[in-house]
Amino acid sequence: MRALIYIMTPILILTIILASRFVSWERLKGFDSEADKHLTHGTQLLGKGEFYRSITELTRAIEIEPKYAEAYINRGRAYYYLARYQEAIADYTKTISLKQYTADAYASRGDVYRTINDVSRAIDDYTFSLEKRKNALVLSKRAKCYLEIGKPDEAIRDYSDIVKNRPTAIAYNNRGRAYHKKYLLSHKKDELPKHALADFDKAIEMQPHYAIAYLNRSYIYGDLGQENKKVSDNSRAIDLLTEAIENWEIEPYQLIPIYLWRSVAFYKNNQIDKAQNDVKRIYVLFIQFYLNNIGNFDIL
């Protein structure tokens, strides 16, 4: 019997851990089944982008169970997508007060603060989130905030943490941008472009079709007066972005950032007409997306 207990105990623990991935804390605590139905439906609607209906369902869940943390954090996301930022902040703050989903709630509230340009509060919330759970995406967001307020050293530290633990082309590219930012802010010290170039080289080595890394590397070459290399990298970025546009097979509105980057590359290449045409295309795609999703926006 004792041997059986030794065998079954770790199996039971593993079963509980696995189950916790699919069963929410609230459901384990036995919250009202009607509230749970509204939560489930509201969460499904959130995933479909039906934000108004999602808020209605999640609000009903909260009315039945006022301490339903999962409903608060999901409603906060719906409010955020509708640009109802103060309501989103209130829901994330309530989630944190309930001591559930705290890492996610802090990170999400940080996203709201960053959106409304309260960067110092965004950094604080990302830091609180990271104290609860290490996350490369949150580290990257905090690093971008540091760059926005002119603190490249802190950004480099965060990106270096990502490179150390999860080295990717994006991570190297982002750290290269941070080194470039520091270079621009520090009276152009000679050693910084070398670090930036090394990171962009590594990003391109890992992802040879990484157009943005070519574009970013062209800036360094431009700063160093290496005009031929600058033009070569910029042209390569244009070719790769054009290839991406021509072979695009998913939602058209997702092309917006690609057209934006290509317009920047055209502008840097003194192809002003082509840059302006890409900007016009961005407006068209944005309007199409808006009209297709008008029912989800808080305008009526």
Side-chain angles (χ1 to χ4, degrees):
M1 176 62 74
R2 182 171 296 177
L4 181 60
I5 292 173
Y6 289 148
I7 293 171
M8 293 304 297
T9 298
I11 293 174
L12 178 60
I13 293 171
L14 180 60
T15 301
I16 292 171
I17 292 172
L18 290 174
S20 68
R21 297 178 59 194
F22 306 101
V23 180
S24 73
W25 174 264
E26 284 79 3
R27 291 172 195 176
L28 287 172
K29 289 175 67 177
F31 276 5
D32 187 280
S33 61
E34 191 65 23
D36 188 69
K37 290 179 184 178
H38 287 293
L39 170 70
T40 300
H41 191 207
T43 303
Q44 291 171 345
L45 292 168
L46 178 63
K48 295 176 181 178
E50 298 183 39
F51 304 127
Y52 278 121
R53 294 179 63 200
S54 174
I55 288 170
T56 298
E57 288 295 304
L58 295 169
T59 299
R60 183 62 185 136
I62 290 167
E63 288 171 348
I64 297 170
E65 291 285 0
K67 294 184 179 181
Y68 214 161
E70 190 174 354
Y72 281 109
I73 194 169
N74 284 340
R75 192 176 68 173
R77 290 176 180 133
Y79 282 137
Y80 176 70
Y81 293 137
L82 289 172
R84 292 164 61 171
Y85 298 128
Q86 293 307 316
E87 289 160 295
I89 289 171
D91 273 359
Y92 292 139
T93 302
K94 181 64 176 179
T95 305
I96 292 165
S97 74
L98 293 170
K99 296 181 170 36
Q100 294 298 322
Y101 309 105
T102 50
D104 290 332
Y106 275 122
S108 296
R109 195 174 68 176
D111 290 343
V112 182
Y113 283 133
R114 186 170 172 227
T115 301
I116 63 177
N117 206 33
D118 194 342
V119 181
S120 61
R121 283 189 177 179
I123 290 172
D124 287 343
D125 271 1
Y126 291 145
T127 301
F128 287 134
S129 178
L130 290 165
E131 288 172 355
K132 300 289 183 182
R133 184 183 66 220
K134 205 70 174 287
N135 183 286
L137 179 58
V138 177
L139 266 173
S140 182
K141 289 177 178 179
R142 187 174 70 174
K144 289 177 181 177
C145 287
Y146 282 134
L147 285 180
E148 288 174 13
I149 61 174
K151 292 186 175 182
D153 286 325
E154 287 83 349
I156 291 167
R157 180 196 65 205
D158 279 354
Y159 285 134
S160 294
D161 196 350
I162 298 170
V163 166
K164 178 181 177 181
N165 294 291
R166 295 186 63 185
T168 64
I170 292 175
Y172 279 108
N173 175 72
N174 287 339
R175 191 174 66 177
R177 288 180 56 249
Y179 277 124
H180 187 212
K181 179 75 170 182
K182 183 176 180 179
Y183 171 67
L184 296 175
L185 293 173
S186 60
H187 306 293
K188 301 188 176 181
K189 293 181 180 178
D190 290 339
E191 74 276 7
L192 294 172
K194 296 177 183 178
H195 294 309
L197 281 174
D199 276 350
F200 294 138
D201 288 346
K202 185 64 176 178
I204 291 168
E205 177 189 329
M206 296 177 75
Q207 282 286 354
H209 290 80
Y210 195 176
I212 307 308
Y214 282 102
L215 186 58
N216 285 329
R217 192 172 67 176
S218 75
Y219 297 151
I220 300 293
Y221 285 137
D223 290 337
L224 296 176
Q226 299 181 30
E227 196 64 23
N228 289 338
K229 289 184 177 181
K230 170 191 170 183
V231 172
S232 176
D233 269 4
N234 201 58
S235 297
R236 180 60 175 155
I238 290 172
D239 290 343
L240 289 169
L241 292 166
T242 300
E243 181 183 339
I245 291 169
E246 290 175 348
N247 293 294
W248 200 257
E249 295 181 351
I250 53 179
E251 293 289 345
Y253 75 88
Q254 294 183 17
L255 279 168
I256 290 174
I258 299 178
Y259 276 112
L260 177 60
W261 281 114
R262 194 176 69 168
S263 71
V264 171
F266 278 137
Y267 181 79
K268 292 289 183 181
N269 226 27
N270 292 319
Q271 296 173 279
I272 307 303
D273 289 344
K274 290 184 177 181
Q276 290 175 341
N277 286 337
D278 274 358
V279 171
K280 290 176 183 177
R281 184 59 183 160
I282 290 169
Y283 283 128
V284 170
L285 288 171
F286 180 80
I287 291 170
Q288 288 175 346
F289 171 74
Y290 181 80
L291 292 175
N292 289 338
N293 293 273
I294 193 168
N296 293 331
F297 296 112
D298 190 13
I299 63 170
L300 300 176

